[in-house]
Amino acid sequence: MATVTVMHRQPALWRQCHRTAGIGICRLHTSSSNASSKEHYKVLVLGGGTGGIAMSARMKRKLGAENVAVVEPSEMHYYQPIWTLVGAGAKSVASSGRPTASVIPPGVKWVKSNVQEIDPDTNTVRTDNGMEISYQYLIVALGLQLHYEKIKGLPEIDDWVKFKIGSNYSVQTVEKTWSALQNFKEGNAIFSFPNTPVKCAGAPQKIMYLTDAYLRKTGKRATANVMYNTSLPVLFGIKKYADALWEIVKNRDIQVNLRHNLIEVRANKQEAVFENLDNPGETEVFEYEMLHVTPPMGPNPVVKGSSLADEGGWLDVNKETLQHNEYPNVFGIGDCTNLPTAKTAAAVAAQSSILDRTISKVLKNEKPDTKYDGYTSCPLVTSYSTVILAEFDYSGQPLETFPIDQSKERWTMYHMKADVMPPLYWHGLLKGFWGGPGPIRKIMHLGMK
């Protein structure tokens, strides 16, 4: 499951507002965009993605809506894990989004603005419209930054469909993946994985397996060379699931090139340039008929520019309690943190329960006693009807839900990914009712009995 974040965290090249035409949203929560004003909240949440909305719902129940505010500029909230299926034509992009107004808890203040500066020494946040907000407790859920612009030649491409390029990591480009797949004739279908931390590390190869399946279904596979060029030295980070995936790529005649990092796209020639990370300075040019780009990613720039960041620019939190390592009234959740686990929505679900407990203890001047074990999950889509459900912890050890071998492809896991998880996301996680260690385990108990 890939992590959900909202679109303002991307470079300006990819930033767009998406509204639902003709739909009036009437909610009881308040919103604000007035400049040069000062406000104070007991709990201030930065970011209206998965972690931010889930925690604002929990804080509302704990402290009352009038004591909670969320800073979020985007008009739309997206459930990004479903974009794997959107890119393969199995779901619509419209099904992945809802107006932000509909997911912010009623009564919670919505500050419709970008965070410009965080000053934890004065317990103050400044927004880009001139507002200054003070807080007693701060929850940072700002996600990470996509860096398409770091791939040479890519920002200058004005028509991705024409040049057969797609990316499932952006609402502006996910449907272009489906266009490239439908327009495929013969040649190389290339899928990249960058030399940076990423959210949902399984997503770049999920669309590869779906492409293989689509090309077989349409009779084009015999003239296609499906290729996975990854910067990593492994196919997947957890050996149990990697071993299963190696069998799949072998049986489906998929070419895997390890330690290959995409650095340039020459659209006019339909060429992709990869650097060989094991031989610095060495590059290799691949012609492509279809190119799926997973962009380089990095820390949120506001976090990186603050005293809350570690040396790498990520929010510096205790990996067990999610409390900041230097500022005890600051907490973090999700992709913006330096937690050493995979950045997924399942991880956020587990973290939300831990963080809720941590904050409850801090409010009582007690020591946090619940520990996050790094639980995360990645439903590895391997066809239009099968999934390998990877679940694991900080140590990289499987932490599985079912009394079966989850490294096997199963249609039941696909059904959970495609049909069960979305409603549980909208009506469970975002409402603050789903979380805790092993959240999928809880789902199967509560949502499918």
Side-chain angles (χ1 to χ4, degrees):
M1 187 183 303
T3 303
V4 180
T5 49
V6 284
M7 293 301 99
H8 72 282
R9 298 186 186 96
Q10 302 176 29
L13 177 65
W14 314 101
R15 192 180 301 145
Q16 295 180 5
C17 287
H18 295 264
R19 303 173 183 268
T20 304
I23 298 179
I25 304 299
C26 299
R27 298 296 296 246
L28 295 178
H29 69 76
T30 57
S31 64
S32 174
S33 58
N34 295 328
S36 302
S37 62
K38 294 184 179 180
E39 297 184 7
H40 175 82
Y41 295 92
K42 187 159 189 175
V43 175
L44 181 62
V45 181
L46 304 183
T50 306
I53 296 299
M55 289 312 301
S56 66
R58 288 176 177 271
M59 293 301 100
K60 173 189 172 180
R61 287 202 299 273
K62 193 180 301 292
L63 300 169
E66 70 278 5
N67 293 309
V68 183
V70 181
V71 183
E72 172 55 55
S74 301
E75 294 284 348
M76 291 292 289
H77 177 104
Y78 290 98
Y79 176 56
Q80 291 186 25
I82 210 68
W83 285 354
T84 287
L85 301 182
V86 173
K91 295 285 184 178
S92 70
V93 71
S95 71
S96 71
R98 295 189 180 182
T100 301
S102 71
V103 299
I104 291 181
V108 168
K109 181 66 171 289
W110 176 18
V111 180
K112 197 182 301 184
S113 181
N114 284 293
V115 177
Q116 186 174 62
E117 181 185 1
I118 307 170
D119 186 351
D121 293 309
T122 62
N123 296 328
T124 302
V125 167
R126 295 176 181 84
T127 66
D128 64 357
N129 65 353
M131 181 179 288
E132 183 175 291
I133 310 170
S134 60
Y135 59 83
Q136 188 172 350
Y137 300 98
L138 181 69
I139 299 174
V140 184
L142 287 170
L144 52 65
Q145 187 88 6
L146 303 182
H147 289 292
Y148 287 95
E149 81 284 355
K150 290 189 176 182
I151 300 174
K152 183 179 178 182
L154 197 60
E156 291 76 32
I157 301 172
D158 58 0
D159 189 345
W160 282 35
V161 172
K162 175 182 177 181
F163 294 108
K164 302 182 178 181
I165 303 170
S167 176
N168 288 354
Y169 278 86
S170 161
V171 71
Q172 294 90 349
T173 58
V174 63
E175 291 179 298
K176 293 174 173 57
T177 303
W178 176 228
S179 294
L181 183 51
Q182 289 178 294
N183 294 331
F184 186 94
K185 294 182 175 62
E186 61 179 352
N188 294 331
I190 302 177
F191 304 83
S192 72
F193 188 107
N195 190 30
T196 66
V198 300
K199 54 182 175 180
C200 190
Q205 59 183 292
K206 295 177 191 180
I207 186 60
M208 174 187 69
Y209 299 124
L210 287 163
T211 295
D212 171 80
Y214 179 81
L215 295 178
R216 291 180 188 278
K217 181 173 66 174
T218 55
K220 299 177 181 178
R221 186 62 177 90
T223 59
N225 182 26
V226 180
M227 188 181 303
Y228 186 53
N229 287 5
T230 173
S231 64
L232 298 177
V234 294
L235 183 56
F236 192 73
I238 311 302
K239 186 178 185 302
K240 175 178 181 177
Y241 308 115
D243 289 346
L245 294 171
W246 276 116
E247 284 299 312
I248 290 173
V249 299
K250 178 181 178 181
N251 292 337
R252 298 181 191 175
D253 193 26
I254 295 172
Q255 181 179 339
V256 178
N257 296 313
L258 303 176
R259 303 293 286 161
H260 278 60
N261 181 44
L262 179 64
I263 59 173
E264 181 180 359
V265 177
R266 301 168 181 169
N268 288 330
K269 297 180 179 180
Q270 287 190 206
E271 293 178 345
V273 183
F274 290 81
E275 61 178 340
N276 187 332
L277 297 175
D278 288 332
N279 295 293
E282 179 182 315
T283 61
E284 188 172 356
V285 179
F286 294 81
E287 293 183 349
Y288 69 83
E289 170 69 6
M290 171 186 178
L291 176 64
H292 180 271
V293 175
T294 301
M297 303 179 201
N300 178 279
V302 175
V303 173
K304 185 176 182 180
S306 75
S307 57
L308 297 175
D310 66 7
E311 291 182 356
W314 305 94
L315 189 74
D316 187 21
V317 296
N318 181 287
K319 75 173 191 176
E320 293 181 338
T321 66
L322 281 70
Q323 186 175 26
H324 195 270
N325 284 319
E326 184 176 347
Y327 297 92
N329 67 329
V330 177
F331 310 88
I333 187 170
D335 295 352
C336 68
T337 69
N338 61 356
L339 296 171
T341 193
K343 299 179 184 295
T344 70
V348 172
Q351 292 163 20
S352 66
S353 178
I354 300 296
L355 183 51
D356 185 57
R357 177 70 175 178
T358 292
I359 293 175
S360 292
K361 287 291 186 177
V362 171
L363 288 170
K364 298 175 183 177
N365 293 317
E366 298 175 4
K367 183 179 180 181
D369 59 356
T370 307
K371 297 181 179 181
Y372 176 49
D373 60 7
Y375 173 86
T376 190
S377 173
C378 181
L380 293 156
V381 181
T382 54
S383 75
Y384 284 88
S385 60
T386 55
V387 158
I388 288 175
L389 181 59
E391 296 179 280
F392 48 96
D393 60 15
Y394 276 139
S395 65
Q397 295 302 307
L399 194 62
E400 298 182 341
T401 296
F402 302 97
I404 55 176
D405 184 358
Q406 290 186 199
S407 67
K408 301 293 185 181
E409 297 177 273
R410 299 182 188 275
W411 71 265
T412 51
M413 299 299 100
Y414 180 89
H415 172 60
M416 185 178 73
K417 158 76 176 177
D419 305 314
V420 176
M421 299 303 292
L424 286 169
Y425 175 83
W426 295 112
H427 303 295
L429 179 55
L430 294 190
K431 306 296 185 183
F433 295 126
W434 162 32
I440 288 182
R441 204 168 287 125
K442 283 193 172 185
I443 283 176
M444 304 316 295
H445 176 68
L446 298 175
M448 294 189 67
K449 63 182 181 180

